[in-house]
């Protein structure tokens, strides 16, 4: 196993939706032993503490939740992500999924400086492809993929000079997409894999195809793992529970395949709301999944000669 320099970056962001609690996420991951789990695998681990948003003045908006605060977080996290990518493999500890407005922008900027294509694997029940104009809820945690792929309506956010190509995005685990978002997504070349497809043919096949694509392009791969990718029966600590999600084994298989590929260059762990957890079980499961992505396994699987 290749040893990594894993850099933990806390993002106690709680502005992407109305229900509060995700600001406690970074400390929950630390308490659940993320650093220790990665060190046990032989990795070097640094914890750079928590990012704070850029200065902002809060204002009431007729539709959007905490717009100014979310823009301020996007600015700060984009800078933090771009800087951290130069030093190792950043693991962003969320925080709600609006943090990916900044983390993905930052890793995209880094990819441009090293002249490699950026890819994004989005593990989520939702496509998060809205814009500030199309969201009915006003919750900006549903907009990151719309933002980084260059959809309109993000005028006050940091500029996305070179949008992420749609072909470089795969969303796996979908089971809650509203009509407007579905229509917009179907007009794109974004790979989207819903739970019915996973039920019919398994999760490994579409993931392997996407990873082959990343490898062929010598791409950098950002993985954004939302707690609600998992079924709420095993991961209850999320404010957006949708029944019928990935099982524990499906989650671990995804992470094990990511490790086997050697392609992951950055990771988000998002939407953990410890206020909704049961004795830390969701935080512990997310730590276990991160460990699988970085090499934990039950048995090694050497190639056998027959």
């Amino acid at each position: 196993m290749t040893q990594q320099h894993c850099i933990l970056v806390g993002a106690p962001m709680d502005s992407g939706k109305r229900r509060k609690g995700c600001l406690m996420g970074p400390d929950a991951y630390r308490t659940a032993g993320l650093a220790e789990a990665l060190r046990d695998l032989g990795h070097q681990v640094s914890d750079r503490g928590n990012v704070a948003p850029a200065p902002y003045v809060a204002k009431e908006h007729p539709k959007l939740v905490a717009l100014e605060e979310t823009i301020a977080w996007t600015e700060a996290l984009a800078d933090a992500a771009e800087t951290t990518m130069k030093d190792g493999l950043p693991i962003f500890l969320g925080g709600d999924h609006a943090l990916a407005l900044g983390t993905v922008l930052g890793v995209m900027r880094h990819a441009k400086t090293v002249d490699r294509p950026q890819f994004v694997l989005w593990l989520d029940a939702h496509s998060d492809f809205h814009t500030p104009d199309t969201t009915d809820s006003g919750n900006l945690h549903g907009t990151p993929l719309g933002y980084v792929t260059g959809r309109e309506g993000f005028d006050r956010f940091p500029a996305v000079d070179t949008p992420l190509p749609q072909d470089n995005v795969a969303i796996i685990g979908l089971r809650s997409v509203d009509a407007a978002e579905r229509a917009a997504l179907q007009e794109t070349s974004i790979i989207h894999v819903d739970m019915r497809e996973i039920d019919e043919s398994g999760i490994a096949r579409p993931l392997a195809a996407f990873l082959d694509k990343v490898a062929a392009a010598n791409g950098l791969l950002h993985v954004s793992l939302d707690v609600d990718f998992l079924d709420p029966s095993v991961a209850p600590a999320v404010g957006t529970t949708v029944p019928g999600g990935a099982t524990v084994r499906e989650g671990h298989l995804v992470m094990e395949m990511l490790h086997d590929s050697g392609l992951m260059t950055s990771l988000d762990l998002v939407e953990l709301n410890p206020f909704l957890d049961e004795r830390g079980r969701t935080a512990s499961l997310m730590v276990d999944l991160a460990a699988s992505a970085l090499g934990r396994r039950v048995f090694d699987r050497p190639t056998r000669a027959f």
Side-chain angles (χ1 to χ4, degrees), residues 85-150:
M85 284 293 293
K86 300 172 184 176
D87 300 327
L89 189 153
I91 302 176
F92 301 100
L93 313 178
D96 66 61
H97 219 157
L99 71 84
L101 292 156
T103 60
V104 178
L105 178 61
V107 300
M108 287 166 58
R109 288 174 177 170
H110 172 76
K112 187 174 182 180
T113 64
V114 297
D115 194 27
R116 291 177 65 185
Q118 181 69 56
F119 289 78
V120 172
L121 175 62
W122 203 261
L123 301 170
D124 201 325
H126 309 87
S127 61
D128 294 343
F129 194 60
H130 272 298
T131 75
D133 296 329
T134 66
T135 174
D136 289 331
S137 68
N139 295 330
L140 291 169
H141 70 168
T143 65
L145 284 182
Y147 173 57
V148 298
T149 56

Side-chain angles (χ1 to χ4, degrees), residues 114 177 202 249 256:
V114 297
V177 183
R249 267 310 314 156
E256 291 160 359

Side-chain angles (χ1 to χ4, degrees), residues 3-56:
Q3 291 187 343
Q4 301 267 16
H5 180 197
C6 300
I7 305 171
L8 308 185
V9 181
M13 182 177 183
D14 217 5
S15 62
K17 71 275 178 286
R18 288 177 173 83
R19 188 167 196 172
K20 300 302 180 184
C22 286
L23 82 168
M24 299 184 287
D27 286 342
Y29 288 123
R30 293 180 174 113
T31 303
L34 177 59
E36 293 82 358
L38 300 180
R39 289 192 183 104
D40 286 346
L41 293 168
H43 300 296
Q44 178 187 353
V45 181
S46 302
D47 190 336
R48 295 192 175 175
N50 291 345
V51 175
Y56 68 96

Side-chain angles (χ1 to χ4, degrees), residues 204 249 253 256-257 259-260 295-304:
R249 267 310 314 156
L253 177 58
E256 291 160 359
M257 289 176 65
H259 173 257
D260 292 346
R296 182 189 286 172
R297 61 182 67 235
V298 178
F299 291 110
D300 287 327
R301 299 178 67 187
T303 302
R304 292 180 173 87

